[in-house]
Amino acid sequence: DEGTKMAPASLPSLLNECQLSTGVHKQCAKLLSQRRRDNLVAFHAEFTPCLQRILLQPKGDADAERMVRFVVTFATHREVGHEDESVEFLERLLSFLLSHSEAS
């Protein structure tokens, strides 16, 4: 239920929730946005290893695909008054993805 508040949890716990259901994606994006605002550098350092594990999952894995959809939801989530932090995170995320991509 989207009206239900989620208790603050660790980053891995929140990501696990997103892996299990797309119904919590918006709530988790808001919670992670708050963490990102608190300390972008520390958040990025904690988030990217989790993202790396997600990207190593085989193509077609339903859990991994839900996680990729969540990452897109989170990366594109903009809060009024905090657009600059969102853009900075997105730039860091894209840089990370580009540096870890393999040429086809």
Coordinates of all heavy atoms in Angstrom, one line a residue:
D1 N 0.8 -1.2 0.0 CA 0.0 0.0 0.0 C 0.9 1.2 0.0 O 1.7 1.4 0.9 CB -0.9 -0.1 1.2 CG -1.8 1.2 1.4 OD1 -1.3 2.3 1.1 OD2 -3.0 1.0 1.8
E2 N 0.7 2.1 -1.0 CA 1.6 3.3 -1.2 C 1.4 4.3 0.0 O 2.3 5.1 0.3 CB 1.4 3.9 -2.5 CG 2.6 4.6 -3.0 CD 2.5 5.0 -4.4 OE1 2.3 4.1 -5.3 OE2 2.8 6.2 -4.7
G3 N 0.2 4.3 0.6 CA 0.0 5.2 1.7 C 0.7 4.8 3.0 O 0.8 5.6 3.9
T4 N 1.1 3.6 3.1 CA 1.8 3.1 4.3 C 3.2 3.6 4.3 O 3.9 3.5 3.3 CB 1.8 1.5 4.3 OG1 0.5 1.1 4.2 CG2 2.5 1.0 5.5
K5 N 3.6 4.1 5.4 CA 5.0 4.6 5.6 C 5.9 3.4 5.8 O 5.6 2.5 6.6 CB 5.1 5.5 6.8 CG 4.3 6.8 6.6 CD 5.1 7.7 5.7 CE 4.3 9.1 5.6 NZ 4.8 9.9 4.6
M6 N 7.1 3.4 5.2 CA 8.1 2.4 5.4 C 9.0 2.9 6.5 O 9.4 4.1 6.4 CB 8.9 2.1 4.1 CG 8.0 1.4 3.1 SD 9.0 1.1 1.6 CE 10.1 -0.2 2.2
A7 N 9.4 2.1 7.4 CA 10.4 2.4 8.4 C 11.8 2.6 7.8 O 12.1 1.9 6.8 CB 10.4 1.4 9.5
P8 N 12.6 3.5 8.3 CA 14.0 3.6 7.8 C 14.7 2.3 7.9 O 14.5 1.6 8.9 CB 14.6 4.7 8.7 CG 13.5 5.4 9.2 CD 12.3 4.5 9.3
A9 N 15.4 1.9 6.9 CA 16.1 0.6 6.9 C 17.4 0.8 6.2 O 17.7 1.8 5.6 CB 15.2 -0.4 6.1
S10 N 18.2 -0.3 6.3 CA 19.5 -0.2 5.7 C 19.4 -0.2 4.1 O 18.3 -0.6 3.6 CB 20.4 -1.4 6.1 OG 19.8 -2.6 5.5
L11 N 20.4 0.3 3.4 CA 20.3 0.3 2.0 C 20.0 -1.1 1.4 O 19.1 -1.3 0.6 CB 21.6 0.9 1.4 CG 21.7 1.0 -0.1 CD1 20.5 1.8 -0.7 CD2 23.0 1.5 -0.6
P12 N 20.8 -2.1 1.9 CA 20.5 -3.5 1.3 C 19.1 -3.9 1.6 O 18.4 -4.6 0.8 CB 21.5 -4.4 2.0 CG 22.6 -3.4 2.4 CD 22.0 -2.1 2.7
S13 N 18.5 -3.6 2.8 CA 17.1 -4.0 3.1 C 16.1 -3.3 2.2 O 15.2 -3.9 1.7 CB 16.8 -3.6 4.5 OG 17.6 -4.3 5.4
L14 N 16.4 -2.0 1.9 CA 15.5 -1.3 1.0 C 15.6 -1.9 -0.4 O 14.5 -2.0 -1.1 CB 15.8 0.2 1.0 CG 15.4 1.0 2.2 CD1 16.0 2.4 2.2 CD2 13.9 1.0 2.4
L15 N 16.8 -2.1 -0.9 CA 16.9 -2.7 -2.2 C 16.3 -4.1 -2.3 O 15.7 -4.5 -3.3 CB 18.4 -2.8 -2.6 CG 19.1 -1.4 -2.8 CD1 20.5 -1.5 -3.1 CD2 18.4 -0.6 -3.8
N16 N 16.4 -4.8 -1.2 CA 15.7 -6.2 -1.2 C 14.2 -6.0 -1.3 O 13.6 -6.8 -2.1 CB 16.1 -6.9 0.1 CG 15.5 -8.3 0.1 OD1 15.8 -9.1 -0.8 ND2 14.8 -8.7 1.1
E17 N 13.6 -5.0 -0.7 CA 12.2 -4.8 -0.8 C 11.8 -4.5 -2.2 O 10.8 -4.9 -2.8 CB 11.8 -3.6 0.1 CG 11.8 -3.9 1.6 CD 10.8 -5.0 2.0 OE1 9.6 -5.0 1.5 OE2 11.1 -5.9 2.8
C18 N 12.7 -3.7 -2.9 CA 12.4 -3.3 -4.3 C 12.6 -4.5 -5.2 O 11.9 -4.6 -6.3 CB 13.4 -2.2 -4.7 SG 13.1 -0.7 -3.9
Q19 N 13.4 -5.4 -4.9 CA 13.6 -6.7 -5.7 C 12.4 -7.5 -5.6 O 12.0 -8.2 -6.6 CB 14.8 -7.4 -5.1 CG 15.1 -8.8 -5.7 CD 16.3 -9.4 -5.1 OE1 17.3 -8.9 -5.1 NE2 16.1 -10.5 -4.5
L20 N 11.7 -7.5 -4.5 CA 10.5 -8.4 -4.3 C 9.2 -7.9 -4.9 O 8.4 -8.6 -5.3 CB 10.3 -8.6 -2.8 CG 11.5 -9.3 -2.1 CD1 11.2 -9.4 -0.6 CD2 11.8 -10.7 -2.6
S21 N 9.1 -6.5 -5.0 CA 7.8 -5.9 -5.5 C 8.1 -4.6 -6.0 O 8.8 -3.7 -5.4 CB 6.9 -5.8 -4.3 OG 5.7 -5.1 -4.7
T22 N 7.4 -4.3 -7.2 CA 7.5 -3.0 -7.8 C 6.6 -2.0 -7.0 O 6.8 -0.8 -7.2 CB 7.2 -3.0 -9.3 OG1 5.8 -3.5 -9.4 CG2 8.1 -3.8 -10.1
G23 N 5.7 -2.5 -6.2 CA 4.8 -1.6 -5.5 C 5.4 -0.7 -4.5 O 4.8 0.3 -4.1
V24 N 6.6 -1.0 -4.1 CA 7.3 -0.1 -3.1 C 8.4 0.8 -3.7 O 9.0 1.6 -3.0 CB 8.0 -1.0 -2.0 CG1 7.0 -1.8 -1.2 CG2 9.1 -1.9 -2.5
H25 N 8.5 0.8 -5.0 CA 9.5 1.5 -5.7 C 9.5 3.0 -5.4 O 10.5 3.6 -5.1 CB 9.5 1.3 -7.2 CG 10.1 0.0 -7.6 ND1 10.4 -0.4 -8.9 CD2 10.5 -1.1 -6.8 CE1 10.9 -1.6 -8.9 NE2 10.9 -2.1 -7.7
K26 N 8.3 3.6 -5.5 CA 8.2 5.1 -5.2 C 8.6 5.4 -3.8 O 9.3 6.4 -3.6 CB 6.8 5.6 -5.6 CG 6.6 5.7 -7.1 CD 5.2 6.2 -7.4 CE 5.0 6.2 -8.9 NZ 3.6 6.8 -9.2
Q27 N 8.1 4.7 -2.9 CA 8.4 4.9 -1.4 C 9.9 4.8 -1.2 O 10.5 5.6 -0.5 CB 7.7 4.0 -0.5 CG 6.3 4.4 -0.2 CD 5.7 3.4 0.8 OE1 5.5 2.2 0.4 NE2 5.4 3.9 1.9
C28 N 10.5 3.7 -1.7 CA 11.9 3.5 -1.5 C 12.7 4.6 -2.2 O 13.8 5.0 -1.7 CB 12.3 2.1 -2.1 SG 11.8 0.8 -1.0
A29 N 12.3 5.1 -3.4 CA 13.0 6.1 -4.1 C 13.0 7.4 -3.2 O 14.1 8.1 -3.1 CB 12.4 6.4 -5.4
K30 N 11.9 7.7 -2.5 CA 11.9 8.8 -1.6 C 12.8 8.6 -0.4 O 13.5 9.6 0.0 CB 10.4 9.1 -1.1 CG 9.5 9.6 -2.2 CD 8.1 9.8 -1.7 CE 7.2 10.2 -2.9 NZ 5.8 10.4 -2.4
L31 N 12.8 7.5 0.2 CA 13.7 7.2 1.3 C 15.1 7.3 0.9 O 16.0 7.9 1.6 CB 13.4 5.8 1.9 CG 12.1 5.7 2.7 CD1 11.8 4.2 3.0 CD2 12.1 6.5 3.9
L32 N 15.5 6.7 -0.2 CA 16.9 6.8 -0.7 C 17.3 8.2 -1.1 O 18.4 8.6 -0.9 CB 17.1 5.8 -1.8 CG 17.1 4.3 -1.4 CD1 17.4 3.4 -2.6 CD2 17.9 4.0 -0.2
S33 N 16.3 9.0 -1.6 CA 16.6 10.4 -1.9 C 17.0 11.1 -0.7 O 18.0 12.0 -0.7 CB 15.4 11.0 -2.6 OG 15.2 10.5 -3.9
Q34 N 16.4 10.9 0.4 CA 16.7 11.5 1.7 C 18.1 11.1 2.1 O 18.9 12.0 2.5 CB 15.7 11.1 2.8 CG 16.1 11.7 4.2 CD 16.1 13.2 4.2 OE1 15.2 13.8 3.7 NE2 17.2 13.7 4.8
R35 N 18.5 9.9 2.0 CA 19.8 9.4 2.3 C 20.9 10.1 1.4 O 21.9 10.5 1.9 CB 19.9 7.9 2.2 CG 19.2 7.2 3.3 CD 19.3 5.7 3.1 NE 18.5 5.1 4.2 CZ 19.0 4.1 4.8 NH1 20.1 3.5 4.5 NH2 18.2 3.6 5.8
R36 N 20.5 10.2 0.2 CA 21.4 10.8 -0.8 C 21.6 12.2 -0.5 O 22.8 12.7 -0.6 CB 20.8 10.6 -2.2 CG 21.6 11.2 -3.3 CD 21.0 11.0 -4.7 NE 19.7 11.8 -4.8 CZ 18.8 11.5 -5.6 NH1 18.8 10.4 -6.4 NH2 17.7 12.2 -5.7
R37 N 20.6 12.9 -0.1 CA 20.7 14.4 0.3 C 21.6 14.5 1.5 O 22.3 15.5 1.7 CB 19.3 15.0 0.6 CG 18.6 15.4 -0.6 CD 17.4 16.3 -0.2 NE 16.6 15.9 0.9 CZ 15.6 15.1 0.8 NH1 15.2 14.6 -0.4 NH2 14.9 14.7 1.8
D38 N 21.5 13.6 2.5 CA 22.3 13.7 3.7 C 23.8 13.6 3.4 O 24.6 14.3 4.1 CB 21.9 12.5 4.7 CG 20.5 12.7 5.2 OD1 19.9 13.8 5.1 OD2 20.0 11.7 5.8
N39 N 24.3 12.8 2.5 CA 25.7 12.7 2.2 C 25.8 12.0 0.9 O 25.9 10.7 0.8 CB 26.4 12.0 3.3 CG 27.9 12.0 3.1 OD1 28.4 12.1 2.0 ND2 28.7 11.9 4.2
L40 N 25.9 12.7 -0.2 CA 26.0 12.1 -1.6 C 27.2 11.2 -1.8 O 27.1 10.1 -2.3 CB 26.0 13.2 -2.6 CG 26.1 12.8 -4.1 CD1 24.9 11.9 -4.5 CD2 26.2 13.9 -5.0
V41 N 28.3 11.7 -1.3 CA 29.6 10.9 -1.5 C 29.5 9.5 -0.8 O 29.7 8.5 -1.4 CB 30.8 11.7 -1.1 CG1 32.1 10.8 -1.2 CG2 31.0 12.9 -1.9
A42 N 29.0 9.5 0.4 CA 28.9 8.3 1.2 C 27.8 7.4 0.6 O 28.0 6.2 0.5 CB 28.6 8.6 2.7
F43 N 26.7 8.0 0.2 CA 25.6 7.3 -0.4 C 26.1 6.6 -1.7 O 25.8 5.4 -1.9 CB 24.4 8.2 -0.7 CG 23.3 7.4 -1.3 CD1 22.4 6.6 -0.6 CD2 23.2 7.4 -2.7 CE1 21.4 5.9 -1.2 CE2 22.2 6.6 -3.3 CZ 21.3 5.9 -2.6
H44 N 26.8 7.3 -2.5 CA 27.3 6.8 -3.8 C 28.2 5.6 -3.5 O 28.2 4.6 -4.2 CB 28.0 7.9 -4.6 CG 28.4 7.4 -6.0 ND1 27.5 7.2 -7.0 CD2 29.6 7.1 -6.5 CE1 28.1 6.8 -8.1 NE2 29.4 6.8 -7.8
A45 N 29.1 5.8 -2.5 CA 30.0 4.7 -2.2 C 29.3 3.4 -1.7 O 29.8 2.3 -1.9 CB 31.0 5.2 -1.1
E46 N 28.2 3.6 -1.0 CA 27.4 2.4 -0.6 C 26.5 1.9 -1.7 O 26.3 0.7 -1.8 CB 26.6 2.9 0.6 CG 25.8 1.7 1.3 CD 24.9 2.1 2.5 OE1 24.7 3.3 2.7 OE2 24.5 1.2 3.2
F47 N 26.0 2.7 -2.5 CA 25.0 2.3 -3.5 C 25.7 1.6 -4.7 O 25.1 0.6 -5.2 CB 24.3 3.6 -4.1 CG 23.2 3.3 -5.1 CD1 22.0 2.8 -4.6 CD2 23.4 3.5 -6.4 CE1 21.0 2.5 -5.6 CE2 22.4 3.3 -7.3 CZ 21.2 2.8 -6.9
T48 N 26.8 2.1 -5.2 CA 27.4 1.5 -6.4 C 27.8 0.0 -6.2 O 27.6 -0.8 -7.2 CB 28.6 2.3 -6.9 OG1 29.5 2.6 -5.9 CG2 28.1 3.6 -7.5
P49 N 28.4 -0.4 -5.1 CA 28.6 -1.9 -5.0 C 27.4 -2.7 -5.1 O 27.4 -3.8 -5.6 CB 29.3 -2.0 -3.6 CG 29.9 -0.7 -3.3 CD 28.9 0.3 -3.9
C50 N 26.3 -2.2 -4.5 CA 25.0 -2.9 -4.6 C 24.6 -3.0 -6.1 O 24.1 -4.0 -6.5 CB 23.9 -2.2 -3.8 SG 24.2 -2.2 -2.0
L51 N 24.7 -1.9 -6.8 CA 24.3 -1.8 -8.2 C 25.2 -2.8 -9.0 O 24.7 -3.4 -9.9 CB 24.5 -0.4 -8.7 CG 24.1 -0.2 -10.2 CD1 22.7 -0.6 -10.4 CD2 24.4 1.3 -10.5
Q52 N 26.5 -2.8 -8.6 CA 27.4 -3.7 -9.4 C 26.9 -5.2 -9.3 O 26.9 -5.9 -10.2 CB 28.8 -3.6 -8.8 CG 29.9 -3.8 -9.8 CD 31.2 -3.3 -9.2 OE1 31.3 -2.9 -8.0 NE2 32.2 -3.2 -10.0
R53 N 26.4 -5.6 -8.1 CA 25.9 -7.0 -7.9 C 24.7 -7.2 -8.7 O 24.5 -8.3 -9.3 CB 25.6 -7.2 -6.4 CG 26.9 -7.5 -5.6 CD 26.6 -8.0 -4.2 NE 27.5 -7.3 -3.3 CZ 27.2 -6.3 -2.6 NH1 26.0 -5.8 -2.5 NH2 28.2 -5.7 -1.8
I54 N 23.8 -6.2 -8.8 CA 22.6 -6.3 -9.6 C 23.0 -6.5 -11.1 O 22.4 -7.4 -11.7 CB 21.7 -5.0 -9.4 CG1 21.2 -4.9 -8.0 CG2 20.6 -5.0 -10.4 CD1 20.7 -3.5 -7.7
L55 N 23.9 -5.7 -11.6 CA 24.3 -5.8 -13.0 C 25.0 -7.1 -13.4 O 25.0 -7.4 -14.5 CB 25.2 -4.6 -13.3 CG 24.5 -3.2 -13.2 CD1 25.5 -2.1 -13.4 CD2 23.3 -3.1 -14.1
L56 N 25.5 -7.8 -12.4 CA 26.1 -9.1 -12.7 C 25.1 -10.3 -12.8 O 25.5 -11.4 -13.2 CB 27.1 -9.4 -11.6 CG 28.4 -8.5 -11.5 CD1 29.2 -8.8 -10.3 CD2 29.1 -8.6 -12.8
Q57 N 23.9 -10.0 -12.5 CA 22.8 -11.1 -12.6 C 22.6 -11.4 -14.1 O 22.7 -10.5 -14.9 CB 21.5 -10.6 -11.9 CG 21.7 -10.4 -10.4 CD 22.3 -11.6 -9.7 OE1 21.8 -12.7 -9.8 NE2 23.4 -11.4 -8.9
P58 N 22.2 -12.6 -14.3 CA 21.9 -13.0 -15.7 C 20.7 -12.3 -16.3 O 19.8 -11.9 -15.6 CB 21.6 -14.5 -15.6 CG 21.6 -14.9 -14.2 CD 22.0 -13.7 -13.4
K59 N 20.8 -12.0 -17.6 CA 19.8 -11.3 -18.3 C 18.5 -12.2 -18.2 O 18.6 -13.4 -18.3 CB 20.1 -11.1 -19.8 CG 19.2 -10.3 -20.5 CD 19.7 -10.0 -21.9 CE 18.8 -9.1 -22.7 NZ 19.3 -8.7 -24.0
G60 N 17.4 -11.6 -18.0 CA 16.1 -12.3 -17.9 C 15.8 -12.7 -16.4 O 14.7 -13.2 -16.2
D61 N 16.7 -12.5 -15.5 CA 16.4 -12.7 -14.1 C 15.3 -11.7 -13.6 O 15.6 -10.5 -13.6 CB 17.7 -12.6 -13.2 CG 17.4 -12.9 -11.8 OD1 17.4 -14.1 -11.4 OD2 17.2 -11.9 -11.0
A62 N 14.1 -12.2 -13.2 CA 13.0 -11.3 -12.8 C 13.4 -10.4 -11.7 O 13.0 -9.2 -11.7 CB 11.8 -12.2 -12.5
D63 N 14.1 -10.9 -10.6 CA 14.5 -10.0 -9.5 C 15.4 -8.9 -10.0 O 15.2 -7.8 -9.6 CB 15.1 -10.9 -8.4 CG 14.2 -11.8 -7.7 OD1 12.9 -11.6 -7.8 OD2 14.6 -12.8 -7.1
A64 N 16.4 -9.3 -10.8 CA 17.3 -8.3 -11.3 C 16.6 -7.2 -12.1 O 16.9 -6.1 -12.1 CB 18.5 -9.0 -12.0
E65 N 15.7 -7.7 -12.9 CA 15.0 -6.8 -13.8 C 14.1 -5.8 -13.0 O 14.0 -4.6 -13.3 CB 14.2 -7.5 -14.8 CG 15.1 -8.1 -15.9 CD 14.3 -8.8 -17.0 OE1 13.1 -8.6 -17.2 OE2 15.0 -9.5 -17.8
R66 N 13.5 -6.3 -11.9 CA 12.8 -5.4 -11.0 C 13.7 -4.3 -10.4 O 13.4 -3.2 -10.2 CB 12.1 -6.1 -9.9 CG 10.7 -6.6 -10.3 CD 9.9 -7.2 -9.2 NE 10.4 -8.4 -8.6 CZ 10.2 -9.6 -9.0 NH1 9.5 -9.8 -10.1 NH2 10.8 -10.6 -8.5
M67 N 14.9 -4.8 -10.0 CA 15.9 -3.9 -9.5 C 16.4 -2.8 -10.5 O 16.5 -1.7 -10.1 CB 17.1 -4.7 -9.0 CG 16.9 -5.4 -7.7 SD 16.3 -4.4 -6.3 CE 17.6 -3.2 -6.3
V68 N 16.6 -3.2 -11.7 CA 17.0 -2.3 -12.7 C 15.9 -1.2 -12.9 O 16.1 0.0 -13.0 CB 17.3 -3.0 -14.1 CG1 17.5 -2.0 -15.2 CG2 18.6 -3.8 -13.9
R69 N 14.6 -1.7 -12.9 CA 13.5 -0.7 -13.0 C 13.5 0.2 -11.8 O 13.2 1.4 -11.9 CB 12.2 -1.5 -13.1 CG 11.9 -2.0 -14.5 CD 10.4 -2.5 -14.6 NE 10.2 -3.7 -13.8 CZ 10.2 -4.9 -14.3 NH1 10.5 -5.1 -15.5 NH2 10.0 -5.9 -13.5
F70 N 13.8 -0.3 -10.6 CA 13.9 0.5 -9.4 C 15.0 1.6 -9.6 O 14.8 2.7 -9.3 CB 14.1 -0.2 -8.1 CG 14.4 0.7 -7.0 CD1 13.4 1.5 -6.5 CD2 15.6 0.8 -6.5 CE1 13.6 2.5 -5.5 CE2 15.9 1.7 -5.5 CZ 14.9 2.5 -5.0
V71 N 16.1 1.1 -10.0 CA 17.3 2.1 -10.2 C 16.9 3.2 -11.1 O 17.2 4.4 -10.9 CB 18.5 1.3 -10.7 CG1 19.6 2.3 -11.1 CG2 19.0 0.4 -9.6
V72 N 16.2 2.9 -12.2 CA 15.7 3.9 -13.1 C 14.7 4.9 -12.4 O 14.8 6.1 -12.5 CB 15.0 3.3 -14.4 CG1 14.3 4.3 -15.2 CG2 16.0 2.6 -15.2
T73 N 13.8 4.3 -11.6 CA 12.8 5.1 -10.9 C 13.6 6.0 -9.9 O 13.3 7.2 -9.8 CB 11.8 4.2 -10.1 OG1 11.1 3.4 -11.0 CG2 10.9 5.0 -9.2
F74 N 14.5 5.5 -9.2 CA 15.3 6.3 -8.2 C 16.2 7.3 -8.9 O 16.2 8.5 -8.5 CB 16.1 5.3 -7.4 CG 17.1 6.1 -6.4 CD1 16.6 6.9 -5.5 CD2 18.4 5.8 -6.5 CE1 17.4 7.6 -4.7 CE2 19.3 6.5 -5.6 CZ 18.8 7.4 -4.7
A75 N 16.9 6.9 -10.0 CA 17.8 7.9 -10.6 C 17.0 9.0 -11.3 O 17.6 10.1 -11.4 CB 18.6 7.1 -11.7
T76 N 15.8 8.8 -11.6 CA 15.0 9.9 -12.3 C 14.1 10.6 -11.3 O 13.4 11.5 -11.7 CB 14.2 9.3 -13.5 OG1 13.3 8.3 -13.0 CG2 15.1 8.8 -14.5
H77 N 14.1 10.2 -10.0 CA 13.2 10.8 -9.0 C 13.8 12.2 -8.7 O 14.9 12.4 -8.4 CB 13.2 10.0 -7.8 CG 12.4 10.5 -6.6 ND1 11.1 10.5 -6.6 CD2 12.8 11.1 -5.5 CE1 10.6 11.1 -5.5 NE2 11.6 11.5 -4.8
R78 N 12.9 13.2 -8.9 CA 13.3 14.6 -8.6 C 12.4 15.2 -7.5 O 11.2 15.1 -7.6 CB 13.2 15.5 -9.8 CG 13.9 15.1 -11.0 CD 15.4 15.5 -10.9 NE 16.1 15.1 -12.0 CZ 16.8 14.0 -12.2 NH1 16.7 13.0 -11.3 NH2 17.5 13.7 -13.3
E79 N 13.0 15.7 -6.4 CA 12.2 16.4 -5.4 C 12.4 17.9 -5.5 O 13.5 18.4 -5.8 CB 12.7 15.9 -4.0 CG 12.4 14.5 -3.7 CD 12.8 14.1 -2.3 OE1 13.9 13.7 -2.1 OE2 11.9 14.2 -1.4
V80 N 11.3 18.6 -5.4 CA 11.3 20.0 -5.5 C 12.3 20.6 -4.5 O 12.3 20.2 -3.3 CB 9.9 20.6 -5.3 CG1 9.9 22.1 -5.3 CG2 8.9 20.0 -6.3
G81 N 13.1 21.5 -5.0 CA 14.1 22.1 -4.1 C 15.4 21.3 -4.0 O 16.4 21.8 -3.4
H82 N 15.5 20.1 -4.5 CA 16.7 19.3 -4.4 C 17.1 18.7 -5.8 O 17.7 17.7 -5.9 CB 16.4 18.1 -3.5 CG 16.1 18.5 -2.1 ND1 17.1 19.0 -1.2 CD2 14.9 18.6 -1.4 CE1 16.5 19.3 -0.1 NE2 15.2 19.1 -0.2
E83 N 16.7 19.5 -6.8 CA 17.0 19.0 -8.2 C 18.5 18.9 -8.5 O 18.9 18.0 -9.1 CB 16.3 20.0 -9.2 CG 14.8 20.0 -9.2 CD 14.2 20.9 -8.2 OE1 15.0 21.6 -7.4 OE2 13.0 21.1 -8.2
D84 N 19.3 19.8 -7.9 CA 20.7 19.8 -8.1 C 21.4 18.5 -7.6 O 22.2 17.9 -8.3 CB 21.4 21.0 -7.5 CG 21.1 22.3 -8.2 OD1 20.6 22.3 -9.3 OD2 21.4 23.4 -7.6
E85 N 20.9 18.1 -6.4 CA 21.5 16.8 -5.9 C 21.1 15.6 -6.7 O 21.9 14.7 -6.9 CB 20.9 16.6 -4.4 CG 21.5 17.5 -3.4 CD 20.5 18.6 -3.0 OE1 19.4 18.7 -3.7 OE2 20.7 19.2 -1.9
S86 N 19.8 15.7 -7.3 CA 19.4 14.6 -8.1 C 20.2 14.6 -9.4 O 20.6 13.5 -9.9 CB 17.9 14.8 -8.5 OG 17.1 14.7 -7.4
V87 N 20.5 15.7 -10.0 CA 21.3 15.8 -11.2 C 22.7 15.3 -10.9 O 23.3 14.5 -11.7 CB 21.3 17.2 -11.8 CG1 22.3 17.3 -12.9 CG2 19.9 17.5 -12.3
E88 N 23.3 15.7 -9.8 CA 24.7 15.3 -9.5 C 24.7 13.8 -9.3 O 25.7 13.2 -9.8 CB 25.2 16.0 -8.2 CG 26.6 15.7 -7.9 CD 27.1 16.5 -6.7 OE1 26.5 17.4 -6.2 OE2 28.3 16.2 -6.3
F89 N 23.7 13.2 -8.6 CA 23.7 11.8 -8.4 C 23.6 11.1 -9.8 O 24.3 10.1 -10.1 CB 22.6 11.3 -7.5 CG 22.4 9.8 -7.5 CD1 23.3 9.1 -6.8 CD2 21.4 9.2 -8.2 CE1 23.2 7.7 -6.8 CE2 21.3 7.8 -8.2 CZ 22.2 7.1 -7.5
L90 N 22.7 11.6 -10.7 CA 22.5 11.0 -12.0 C 23.8 11.0 -12.8 O 24.2 10.0 -13.4 CB 21.4 11.7 -12.7 CG 21.0 11.0 -14.1 CD1 20.7 9.6 -13.9 CD2 19.8 11.8 -14.6
E91 N 24.6 12.1 -12.7 CA 25.9 12.2 -13.4 C 26.9 11.2 -12.8 O 27.6 10.6 -13.6 CB 26.4 13.6 -13.3 CG 25.6 14.7 -14.1 CD 26.0 16.1 -13.8 OE1 26.9 16.4 -12.9 OE2 25.5 17.0 -14.6
R92 N 26.9 11.1 -11.5 CA 27.8 10.1 -10.9 C 27.4 8.7 -11.3 O 28.3 7.8 -11.6 CB 27.8 10.2 -9.4 CG 28.5 11.4 -8.8 CD 28.3 11.4 -7.3 NE 29.0 12.5 -6.7 CZ 30.2 12.3 -6.1 NH1 30.7 11.1 -6.1 NH2 30.9 13.3 -5.6
L93 N 26.1 8.4 -11.3 CA 25.6 7.1 -11.7 C 25.9 6.8 -13.2 O 26.4 5.7 -13.5 CB 24.1 7.0 -11.5 CG 23.4 5.7 -11.9 CD1 24.0 4.5 -11.1 CD2 21.9 5.8 -11.7
L94 N 25.7 7.7 -14.1 CA 26.0 7.5 -15.5 C 27.5 7.3 -15.7 O 27.9 6.4 -16.5 CB 25.5 8.6 -16.3 CG 24.0 8.7 -16.4 CD1 23.6 10.0 -17.2 CD2 23.4 7.5 -17.1
S95 N 28.3 8.0 -15.0 CA 29.8 7.8 -15.0 C 30.2 6.4 -14.6 O 31.0 5.8 -15.2 CB 30.5 8.9 -14.2 OG 31.9 8.7 -14.2
F96 N 29.6 6.0 -13.5 CA 29.8 4.7 -12.9 C 29.4 3.6 -14.0 O 30.2 2.7 -14.3 CB 29.1 4.4 -11.6 CG 29.0 3.0 -11.2 CD1 30.1 2.5 -10.5 CD2 28.0 2.2 -11.4 CE1 30.1 1.1 -10.1 CE2 28.0 0.9 -11.0 CZ 29.0 0.3 -10.4
L97 N 28.2 3.7 -14.5 CA 27.8 2.8 -15.5 C 28.7 2.7 -16.8 O 29.0 1.6 -17.3 CB 26.3 3.1 -15.9 CG 25.3 2.8 -14.8 CD1 23.9 3.3 -15.3 CD2 25.2 1.4 -14.4
L98 N 29.1 3.9 -17.2 CA 29.9 3.9 -18.4 C 31.3 3.3 -18.1 O 31.9 2.6 -19.0 CB 30.1 5.4 -18.9 CG 28.9 6.0 -19.6 CD1 29.1 7.5 -19.8 CD2 28.6 5.3 -20.9
S99 N 31.8 3.5 -16.9 CA 33.1 3.0 -16.6 C 33.1 1.5 -16.4 O 34.1 0.8 -16.4 CB 33.7 3.7 -15.4 OG 33.0 3.4 -14.2
H100 N 31.9 0.9 -16.1 CA 31.7 -0.5 -15.9 C 31.1 -1.2 -17.1 O 30.7 -2.4 -16.9 CB 31.0 -0.7 -14.6 CG 31.8 -0.5 -13.4 ND1 32.0 0.8 -12.9 CD2 32.5 -1.2 -12.6 CE1 32.8 0.8 -11.9 NE2 33.1 -0.5 -11.6
S101 N 30.8 -0.5 -18.1 CA 30.2 -1.2 -19.3 C 31.2 -1.9 -20.1 O 32.4 -1.5 -20.1 CB 29.4 -0.2 -20.1 OG 30.3 0.7 -20.8
E102 N 30.8 -2.9 -20.8 CA 31.7 -3.7 -21.7 C 31.3 -3.3 -23.1 O 30.2 -3.2 -23.5 CB 31.5 -5.2 -21.5 CG 32.0 -5.6 -20.1 CD 31.7 -7.1 -20.0 OE1 31.0 -7.7 -20.7 OE2 32.3 -7.7 -19.0
A103 N 32.3 -3.2 -24.0 CA 32.1 -2.9 -25.4 C 31.5 -4.1 -26.0 O 31.9 -5.2 -25.7 CB 33.4 -2.5 -26.1
S104 N 30.4 -3.9 -26.8 CA 29.8 -5.0 -27.5 C 30.6 -5.5 -28.7 O 31.1 -4.7 -29.4 CB 28.4 -4.7 -27.9 OG 27.7 -3.9 -27.1

